[in-house]
Every structure is written in structure tokens, then in C-alpha cells.
Amino acid sequence: MKGLKICTLALTLATLLCSCALVDWIDGFMERFQKDEKPAVSSSEPEPVDPNWPVEMGDVTIEKKPKRVVSLNPSITELVFDMELDSALKGVDDYCAYPEQAKELPRCGTEAMPEVETIADEDAQLVLVLNELPAAQYEALLQADAEVIVLEKPQEIDKLPEYYEQLATIFLGKEDGPKRAKEFAEPLLAAYDEITEAVREADAPRPLGCFMALLPLTMATGDSLQGQLLEACGIENAAAENSDWQYPEDQLLAFNPEVLVFDTRTATLDEVKNHYNYKTTPCVVNERLLAVDGSAIENGGKRLFETVLEMARFANAKLDLPERQRGAAADSRKD
């Protein structure tokens, strides 16, 4: 009987132990199951959203700040350096001559004939132009993962800030870009307004003149930025009523400019003085000739406003710029 009690007790203890083990196993399983079912929680903070990106430029979406950009237009290149955006610039067009730093970058062809292989070698993300590229090269660049953006450059001074904003937004994004463009444009336009105001207040005779792009008849007409600048600087544009940079040949014999501004890229001072159409005109006889780099105006950067100041003083030697205006003009020449 005693042996039977012992066996019964042992059996009871074994059953209890098994039950406890089973409960522990089930609890452990459930704990693991519940742990597996819980959503994973990241220990790291979520990345902040950059309000600058993405940026839409026409049919191109720029997802993040570009690091490798090629410019195929001298105007774009000059402004990239003017606005201090050049850290991402990795190539320029073949004819780029300003600023000096740009000459050190790889030459990547032109808008008419881009060097696709060179641009691909530079691993360009974006190619910036002012004119449409040939279809074959455009498609080749897309195949090389380089997006092409065509910018719009206005022919009016007061619309240049829109051009600056387009460009700065590409490099800095939709919030920082407009801010940089505004900081760049405001002092330049203020200088321009004050210079032209001084011209108006001077109330001096307006000499008849022209902006000569190419001897003898290719000159700034009324529909050009250069033609508008002549008028703003106090010069009566002889070609104001004409268009497309062409002065009528049948009016050339009666053309007697008192002052002449010419582009140093296409003519020298001696060539202007000795040209049969101009050597007896008042501008040559009285030595009222001004040589300017035409690209300074065409490119639309800081040098444009320096040239405006130079043209205004050329047109009116006694032009008086008050101290405030002199300061604004000086600001426009800062590099």
C-alpha cells in the first residue's frame, strides 16, 4: 500500500511538472509570436524633407540638388559664376570666354553641335541651353541620363530677374533659388534705375548714334536689348524704327551718326575709323567712338550693368551721378 502511495505521488508530481513545462512552452511561443507580429520600429529619426526639391522645369523634374551640370551657352555660364552657383558646373561650350575660371572647364561643344561623348564622360545630370538641340544629340543625351533644360532669356531689362530665377532654382531649388536670384538682381536693377534717372535729369541733347554689331549695316534695332539700352543711356538710336538688326542699305548714304558704339568682337577701332561708310561721319571726325565687348550685354550678367554706366557717361560727358547713384553703380561691378 505504501508503495502504491509513493507511485501515485510521483505520478502527480510528474504530471504537474509536465503541465508547468507545457505552460512555459506555450507562454514562450506566444511571446515570440506576439513579438514577431509587432511592427518594426526604427531606432533612427526619419530624414527631414527638403522643401527645395523636387523642382519642375518644363517637362524635366529635378529630384534633388544637382552636382554635375553642363552649360552650352555663354550667357548661362557667366550667370552661373556671377550668382556663385559654379561648384556644380562641370563643362562649358566651346566659345565660352568669360569668366577666366570657366576656361578651365572641359569644352563640351555648342548648342548646334553638342559633344555627347564628352558630356557623358563628365557624367552630367543636366545640360542647360537657350536653344533647342538637334534631335539626334538630344536623344543621345537622354540615353546618357543627361536631362536637357531649355531656358528663356528675355530681351528687356526688367524681365531679366525671371531669367536669373530660372537658373538659380535649377541649382538651389524652389525656395533657395529665388532668394539667391533676388539678392543678385536687386542691386543691379537699382543701379540701372539710378543711372537712367540721372540721364533723364541731365536733360542734355541726345546725340544720334547706333550700336554696331558688324560693319557696315548690322546694328541694334529698336526690337533689341542693345537698341533699348542706347535710348536709356541718352543716345537717339538711328535704327530705332528698324528690326532684326538690319539697317536699310538705301538709307546708308544719309546715315551720319554723331556717336557710335561698336562690338570689339567684330571690329577694331581702326577698322571703324577707316571704313568707307564711316570715315567722314561726325562720330569718326569728332572721335565719338566707344568700344564695348558685345558679350557683356548679350550674357545679361553683372557686366551688362557696367556697360550701361559706361555708355551713359560716353553719351553725356557731364553726366552727374549723385553719391547714392555712384554707390549703386559700384555695387553692380563687384565680383
Side-chain angles (χ1 to χ4, degrees):
M1 179 64 79
K2 184 177 180 181
L4 181 60
K5 289 181 178 179
I6 293 172
C7 287
T8 301
L9 180 61
L11 183 60
T12 302
L13 288 172
T15 301
L16 288 171
L17 288 172
C18 286
S19 298
C20 290
L22 182 60
V23 170
D24 289 342
W25 181 82
I26 291 174
D27 287 344
F29 176 82
M30 292 300 294
E31 184 178 345
R32 289 196 301 275
F33 179 81
Q34 291 168 355
K35 183 177 181 181
D36 291 342
E37 284 293 297
K38 290 180 180 178
V41 179
S42 174
S43 59
S44 61
E45 292 292 328
E47 290 188 10
V49 176
D50 189 339
N52 283 295
W53 312 99
V55 164
E56 302 286 341
M57 297 297 293
D59 58 355
V60 175
T61 300
I62 308 172
E63 297 291 347
K64 57 184 180 180
K65 186 174 183 178
K67 296 181 179 179
R68 306 193 66 80
V69 180
V70 166
S71 164
L72 290 181
N73 190 283
S75 170
I76 294 172
T77 301
E78 181 167 341
L79 279 169
V80 166
F81 280 93
D82 276 356
M83 290 195 284
E84 300 180 355
L85 305 170
D86 52 287
S87 62
L89 193 63
K90 303 303 177 184
V92 297
D93 71 286
D94 289 351
Y95 300 115
C96 179
Y98 187 88
E100 285 296 321
Q101 306 96 296
K103 296 179 182 179
E104 301 172 4
L105 294 172
R107 301 286 168 154
C108 298
T110 65
E111 291 176 328
M113 189 59 67
E115 294 287 347
V116 175
E117 186 175 344
T118 304
I119 294 171
D121 287 345
E122 293 302 320
D123 197 23
Q125 300 165 287
L126 300 174
V127 178
L128 307 183
V129 295
L130 291 181
N131 301 287
E132 298 284 351
L133 300 182
Q137 283 83 357
Y138 174 79
E139 292 298 332
L141 286 171
L142 293 184
Q143 291 296 319
D145 294 326
E147 295 279 8
V148 178
I149 298 178
V150 183
L151 299 170
E152 296 182 16
K153 181 175 173 288
Q155 287 297 308
E156 298 85 20
I157 285 283
D158 60 354
K159 292 184 179 179
L160 281 175
E162 299 172 14
Y163 178 42
Y164 303 156
E165 185 172 318
Q166 287 181 68
L167 193 53
T169 299
I170 289 170
F171 284 86
L172 299 179
K174 55 193 174 189
E175 289 198 359
D176 293 344
K179 291 177 184 176
R180 176 69 62 86
K182 184 178 180 181
E183 291 169 359
F184 175 71
E186 282 188 343
L188 297 177
L189 292 178
Y192 176 81
D193 289 342
E194 294 179 348
I195 292 167
T196 55
E197 181 183 351
V199 170
R200 289 192 299 271
E201 291 179 351
D203 196 25
R206 298 169 65 86
L208 180 70
C210 67
F211 183 103
M212 187 64 62
L214 182 65
L215 290 168
L217 293 171
T218 305
M219 63 184 74
T221 46
D223 58 346
S224 68
L225 174 60
Q226 290 83 345
Q228 296 163 31
L229 292 180
L230 284 176
E231 299 283 355
C233 292
I235 299 172
E236 182 183 349
N237 185 11
E241 300 301 319
N242 306 112
S243 61
D244 299 325
W245 286 83
Q246 290 300 312
Y247 189 80
E249 187 172 1
D250 59 1
Q251 297 179 26
L252 189 56
L253 290 177
F255 183 55
N256 281 302
E258 298 171 272
V259 297
L260 189 146
V261 182
F262 68 93
D263 192 336
T264 56
R265 296 175 300 175
T266 59
T268 65
L269 182 61
D270 284 341
E271 287 172 339
V272 175
K273 284 182 173 181
N274 296 318
H275 195 278
Y276 65 91
N277 285 121
Y278 293 95
K279 60 184 179 182
T280 61
T281 58
C283 62
V284 172
V285 173
N286 298 321
E287 298 187 344
R288 298 294 308 280
L289 303 171
L290 176 66
V292 301
D293 181 349
S295 72
I297 297 176
E298 290 174 5
N299 291 356
K302 290 180 181 179
R303 293 190 302 150
L304 181 155
F305 297 90
E306 297 173 18
T307 305
V308 167
L309 179 61
E310 187 178 9
M311 288 170 58
R313 287 179 170 160
F314 165 70
N316 185 349
K318 297 181 180 180
L319 183 66
D320 181 30
L321 283 175
E323 194 62 36
R324 180 171 62 92
Q325 292 160 322
R326 290 182 186 277
D331 287 342
S332 74
R333 298 194 298 275
K334 288 181 181 178
D335 292 327

